[in-house]
PDB file of all heavy atoms in Angstrom:
ATOM      1  N   THR T  50      83.458  73.250 107.115  1.00  0.00           N
ATOM      2  CA  THR T  50      84.288  74.451 107.243  1.00  0.00           C
ATOM      3  C   THR T  50      84.432  75.114 105.887  1.00  0.00           C
ATOM      4  O   THR T  50      84.015  74.571 104.857  1.00  0.00           O
ATOM      5  CB  THR T  50      85.701  74.108 107.764  1.00  0.00           C
ATOM      6  OG1 THR T  50      86.399  73.346 106.755  1.00  0.00           O
ATOM      7  CG2 THR T  50      85.635  73.296 109.054  1.00  0.00           C
ATOM      8  N   TRP T  51      85.071  76.294 105.887  1.00  0.00           N
ATOM      9  CA  TRP T  51      85.329  76.997 104.621  1.00  0.00           C
ATOM     10  C   TRP T  51      86.250  76.184 103.720  1.00  0.00           C
ATOM     11  O   TRP T  51      86.236  76.334 102.504  1.00  0.00           O
ATOM     12  CB  TRP T  51      85.979  78.350 104.900  1.00  0.00           C
ATOM     13  CG  TRP T  51      85.024  79.431 105.283  1.00  0.00           C
ATOM     14  CD1 TRP T  51      84.922  80.062 106.488  1.00  0.00           C
ATOM     15  CD2 TRP T  51      84.020  80.021 104.456  1.00  0.00           C
ATOM     16  NE1 TRP T  51      83.933  81.005 106.469  1.00  0.00           N
ATOM     17  CE2 TRP T  51      83.361  81.004 105.227  1.00  0.00           C
ATOM     18  CE3 TRP T  51      83.610  79.822 103.139  1.00  0.00           C
ATOM     19  CZ2 TRP T  51      82.334  81.782 104.729  1.00  0.00           C
ATOM     20  CZ3 TRP T  51      82.575  80.591 102.638  1.00  0.00           C
ATOM     21  CH2 TRP T  51      81.950  81.554 103.424  1.00  0.00           C
ATOM     22  N   LYS T  52      87.068  75.310 104.317  1.00  0.00           N
ATOM     23  CA  LYS T  52      88.008  74.527 103.514  1.00  0.00           C
ATOM     24  C   LYS T  52      87.273  73.613 102.540  1.00  0.00           C
ATOM     25  O   LYS T  52      87.779  73.262 101.485  1.00  0.00           O
ATOM     26  CB  LYS T  52      88.924  73.715 104.425  1.00  0.00           C
ATOM     27  CG  LYS T  52      90.079  73.041 103.698  1.00  0.00           C
ATOM     28  CD  LYS T  52      91.012  72.349 104.669  1.00  0.00           C
ATOM     29  CE  LYS T  52      92.179  71.710 103.925  1.00  0.00           C
ATOM     30  NZ  LYS T  52      93.094  71.007 104.842  1.00  0.00           N
ATOM     31  N   ASP T  53      86.034  73.208 102.918  1.00  0.00           N
ATOM     32  CA  ASP T  53      85.259  72.327 102.056  1.00  0.00           C
ATOM     33  C   ASP T  53      84.638  73.068 100.877  1.00  0.00           C
ATOM     34  O   ASP T  53      84.288  72.468  99.869  1.00  0.00           O
ATOM     35  CB  ASP T  53      84.145  71.663 102.870  1.00  0.00           C
ATOM     36  CG  ASP T  53      84.706  70.819 104.001  1.00  0.00           C
ATOM     37  OD1 ASP T  53      85.638  70.035 103.739  1.00  0.00           O
ATOM     38  OD2 ASP T  53      84.231  70.966 105.137  1.00  0.00           O
ATOM     39  N   LYS T  54      84.464  74.362 101.030  1.00  0.00           N
ATOM     40  CA  LYS T  54      83.882  75.179  99.957  1.00  0.00           C
ATOM     41  C   LYS T  54      84.496  76.567 100.042  1.00  0.00           C
ATOM     42  O   LYS T  54      83.958  77.470 100.665  1.00  0.00           O
ATOM     43  CB  LYS T  54      82.360  75.250 100.109  1.00  0.00           C
ATOM     44  CG  LYS T  54      81.670  75.968  98.946  1.00  0.00           C
ATOM     45  CD  LYS T  54      80.162  76.026  99.161  1.00  0.00           C
ATOM     46  CE  LYS T  54      79.474  76.727  97.999  1.00  0.00           C
ATOM     47  NZ  LYS T  54      78.005  76.815  98.206  1.00  0.00           N
ATOM     48  N   LYS T  55      85.634  76.731  99.403  1.00  0.00           N
ATOM     49  CA  LYS T  55      86.404  77.969  99.533  1.00  0.00           C
ATOM     50  C   LYS T  55      85.724  79.124  98.778  1.00  0.00           C
ATOM     51  O   LYS T  55      85.339  78.971  97.627  1.00  0.00           O
ATOM     52  CB  LYS T  55      87.822  77.772  98.987  1.00  0.00           C
ATOM     53  CG  LYS T  55      88.577  76.610  99.597  1.00  0.00           C
ATOM     54  CD  LYS T  55      89.933  76.462  98.947  1.00  0.00           C
ATOM     55  CE  LYS T  55      90.654  75.231  99.488  1.00  0.00           C
ATOM     56  NZ  LYS T  55      89.972  73.987  99.099  1.00  0.00           N
ATOM     57  N   PRO T  56      85.596  80.287  99.410  1.00  0.00           N
ATOM     58  CA  PRO T  56      85.074  81.471  98.709  1.00  0.00           C
ATOM     59  C   PRO T  56      86.153  82.037  97.795  1.00  0.00           C
ATOM     60  O   PRO T  56      87.355  81.833  98.035  1.00  0.00           O
ATOM     61  CB  PRO T  56      84.751  82.435  99.848  1.00  0.00           C
ATOM     62  CG  PRO T  56      85.717  82.068 100.923  1.00  0.00           C
ATOM     63  CD  PRO T  56      85.891  80.574 100.826  1.00  0.00           C
ATOM     64  N   LEU T  57      85.748  82.729  96.772  1.00  0.00           N
ATOM     65  CA  LEU T  57      86.716  83.341  95.869  1.00  0.00           C
ATOM     66  C   LEU T  57      87.497  84.429  96.591  1.00  0.00           C
ATOM     67  O   LEU T  57      86.923  85.193  97.390  1.00  0.00           O
ATOM     68  CB  LEU T  57      85.999  83.956  94.665  1.00  0.00           C
ATOM     69  CG  LEU T  57      85.293  82.975  93.717  1.00  0.00           C
ATOM     70  CD1 LEU T  57      84.493  83.746  92.677  1.00  0.00           C
ATOM     71  CD2 LEU T  57      86.310  82.059  93.051  1.00  0.00           C
ATOM     72  N   PRO T  58      88.813  84.550  96.343  1.00  0.00           N
ATOM     73  CA  PRO T  58      89.609  85.619  96.968  1.00  0.00           C
ATOM     74  C   PRO T  58      89.016  87.000  96.710  1.00  0.00           C
ATOM     75  O   PRO T  58      89.088  87.881  97.564  1.00  0.00           O
ATOM     76  CB  PRO T  58      90.981  85.470  96.302  1.00  0.00           C
ATOM     77  CG  PRO T  58      91.051  84.032  95.905  1.00  0.00           C
ATOM     78  CD  PRO T  58      89.652  83.664  95.508  1.00  0.00           C
ATOM     79  N   LYS T  59      88.403  87.171  95.517  1.00  0.00           N
ATOM     80  CA  LYS T  59      87.808  88.471  95.180  1.00  0.00           C
ATOM     81  C   LYS T  59      86.670  88.797  96.142  1.00  0.00           C
ATOM     82  O   LYS T  59      86.456  89.964  96.494  1.00  0.00           O
ATOM     83  CB  LYS T  59      87.298  88.446  93.743  1.00  0.00           C
ATOM     84  CG  LYS T  59      86.806  89.806  93.248  1.00  0.00           C
ATOM     85  CD  LYS T  59      86.439  89.755  91.776  1.00  0.00           C
ATOM     86  CE  LYS T  59      85.985  91.128  91.283  1.00  0.00           C
ATOM     87  NZ  LYS T  59      85.630  91.095  89.840  1.00  0.00           N
ATOM     88  N   LEU T  60      85.929  87.773  96.588  1.00  0.00           N
ATOM     89  CA  LEU T  60      84.840  87.994  97.534  1.00  0.00           C
ATOM     90  C   LEU T  60      85.389  88.450  98.883  1.00  0.00           C
ATOM     91  O   LEU T  60      84.865  89.383  99.494  1.00  0.00           O
ATOM     92  CB  LEU T  60      84.035  86.713  97.715  1.00  0.00           C
ATOM     93  CG  LEU T  60      82.960  86.738  98.819  1.00  0.00           C
ATOM     94  CD1 LEU T  60      81.927  87.822  98.538  1.00  0.00           C
ATOM     95  CD2 LEU T  60      82.304  85.372  98.949  1.00  0.00           C
ATOM     96  N   VAL T  61      86.461  87.794  99.330  1.00  0.00           N
ATOM     97  CA  VAL T  61      87.086  88.171 100.599  1.00  0.00           C
ATOM     98  C   VAL T  61      87.590  89.612 100.517  1.00  0.00           C
ATOM     99  O   VAL T  61      87.396  90.410 101.437  1.00  0.00           O
ATOM    100  CB  VAL T  61      88.247  87.222 100.939  1.00  0.00           C
ATOM    101  CG1 VAL T  61      88.906  87.635 102.259  1.00  0.00           C
ATOM    102  CG2 VAL T  61      87.755  85.787 101.044  1.00  0.00           C
ATOM    103  N   LYS T  62      88.246  89.957  99.403  1.00  0.00           N
ATOM    104  CA  LYS T  62      88.759  91.311  99.210  1.00  0.00           C
ATOM    105  C   LYS T  62      87.626  92.332  99.252  1.00  0.00           C
ATOM    106  O   LYS T  62      87.725  93.375  99.918  1.00  0.00           O
ATOM    107  CB  LYS T  62      89.487  91.420  97.875  1.00  0.00           C
ATOM    108  CG  LYS T  62      90.008  92.818  97.557  1.00  0.00           C
ATOM    109  CD  LYS T  62      90.651  92.860  96.183  1.00  0.00           C
ATOM    110  CE  LYS T  62      91.265  94.237  95.920  1.00  0.00           C
ATOM    111  NZ  LYS T  62      90.281  95.336  95.969  1.00  0.00           N
ATOM    112  N   THR T  63      86.521  92.029  98.557  1.00  0.00           N
ATOM    113  CA  THR T  63      85.390  92.959  98.515  1.00  0.00           C
ATOM    114  C   THR T  63      84.784  93.160  99.893  1.00  0.00           C
ATOM    115  O   THR T  63      84.489  94.292 100.304  1.00  0.00           O
ATOM    116  CB  THR T  63      84.319  92.442  97.547  1.00  0.00           C
ATOM    117  OG1 THR T  63      84.890  92.310  96.237  1.00  0.00           O
ATOM    118  CG2 THR T  63      83.138  93.402  97.477  1.00  0.00           C
ATOM    119  N   LEU T  64      84.618  92.066 100.628  1.00  0.00           N
ATOM    120  CA  LEU T  64      84.053  92.160 101.973  1.00  0.00           C
ATOM    121  C   LEU T  64      84.933  93.010 102.882  1.00  0.00           C
ATOM    122  O   LEU T  64      84.440  93.850 103.642  1.00  0.00           O
ATOM    123  CB  LEU T  64      83.882  90.762 102.570  1.00  0.00           C
ATOM    124  CG  LEU T  64      82.722  89.928 102.043  1.00  0.00           C
ATOM    125  CD1 LEU T  64      82.821  88.494 102.544  1.00  0.00           C
ATOM    126  CD2 LEU T  64      81.378  90.542 102.438  1.00  0.00           C
ATOM    127  N   PHE T  65      86.240  92.792 102.787  1.00  0.00           N
ATOM    128  CA  PHE T  65      87.138  93.550 103.659  1.00  0.00           C
ATOM    129  C   PHE T  65      87.214  95.012 103.241  1.00  0.00           C
ATOM    130  O   PHE T  65      87.292  95.908 104.092  1.00  0.00           O
ATOM    131  CB  PHE T  65      88.536  92.941 103.674  1.00  0.00           C
ATOM    132  CG  PHE T  65      89.400  93.503 104.761  1.00  0.00           C
ATOM    133  CD1 PHE T  65      89.139  93.220 106.091  1.00  0.00           C
ATOM    134  CD2 PHE T  65      90.452  94.347 104.462  1.00  0.00           C
ATOM    135  CE1 PHE T  65      89.918  93.761 107.105  1.00  0.00           C
ATOM    136  CE2 PHE T  65      91.234  94.894 105.470  1.00  0.00           C
ATOM    137  CZ  PHE T  65      90.970  94.595 106.795  1.00  0.00           C
ATOM    138  N   ASP T  66      87.198  95.273 101.945  1.00  0.00           N
ATOM    139  CA  ASP T  66      87.182  96.659 101.462  1.00  0.00           C
ATOM    140  C   ASP T  66      85.946  97.395 101.979  1.00  0.00           C
ATOM    141  O   ASP T  66      86.021  98.562 102.380  1.00  0.00           O
ATOM    142  CB  ASP T  66      87.193  96.696  99.926  1.00  0.00           C
ATOM    143  CG  ASP T  66      88.564  96.388  99.341  1.00  0.00           C
ATOM    144  OD1 ASP T  66      89.543  96.394 100.113  1.00  0.00           O
ATOM    145  OD2 ASP T  66      88.645  96.125  98.130  1.00  0.00           O
ATOM    146  N   VAL T  67      84.810  96.712 101.963  1.00  0.00           N
ATOM    147  CA  VAL T  67      83.563  97.313 102.457  1.00  0.00           C
ATOM    148  C   VAL T  67      83.671  97.582 103.952  1.00  0.00           C
ATOM    149  O   VAL T  67      83.289  98.662 104.436  1.00  0.00           O
ATOM    150  CB  VAL T  67      82.363  96.383 102.159  1.00  0.00           C
ATOM    151  CG1 VAL T  67      81.120  96.864 102.899  1.00  0.00           C
ATOM    152  CG2 VAL T  67      82.097  96.339 100.662  1.00  0.00           C
ATOM    153  N   GLN T  68      84.185  96.612 104.697  1.00  0.00           N
ATOM    154  CA  GLN T  68      84.320  96.799 106.138  1.00  0.00           C
ATOM    155  C   GLN T  68      85.206  98.003 106.453  1.00  0.00           C
ATOM    156  O   GLN T  68      84.878  98.829 107.316  1.00  0.00           O
ATOM    157  CB  GLN T  68      84.903  95.555 106.792  1.00  0.00           C
ATOM    158  CG  GLN T  68      84.989  95.672 108.317  1.00  0.00           C
ATOM    159  CD  GLN T  68      85.722  94.524 108.963  1.00  0.00           C
ATOM    160  OE1 GLN T  68      86.356  93.717 108.278  1.00  0.00           O
ATOM    161  NE2 GLN T  68      85.652  94.431 110.276  1.00  0.00           N
ATOM    162  N   ALA T  69      86.337  98.112 105.751  1.00  0.00           N
ATOM    163  CA  ALA T  69      87.269  99.212 105.997  1.00  0.00           C
ATOM    164  C   ALA T  69      86.684 100.557 105.575  1.00  0.00           C
ATOM    165  O   ALA T  69      86.844 101.569 106.265  1.00  0.00           O
ATOM    166  CB  ALA T  69      88.584  98.958 105.259  1.00  0.00           C
ATOM    167  N   ALA T  70      85.978 100.565 104.444  1.00  0.00           N
ATOM    168  CA  ALA T  70      85.433 101.824 103.912  1.00  0.00           C
ATOM    169  C   ALA T  70      84.317 102.391 104.782  1.00  0.00           C
ATOM    170  O   ALA T  70      84.173 103.610 104.899  1.00  0.00           O
ATOM    171  CB  ALA T  70      84.930 101.609 102.492  1.00  0.00           C
TER     172      ALA T  70
END
Side-chain angles (χ1 to χ4, degrees):
T50 67
W51 279 113
K52 189 175 181 181
D53 299 313
K54 186 181 181 181
K55 305 177 184 66
L57 294 173
K59 187 174 182 180
L60 173 60
V61 179
K62 178 183 184 300
T63 301
L64 285 170
F65 192 69
D66 284 347
V67 169
Q68 183 187 11

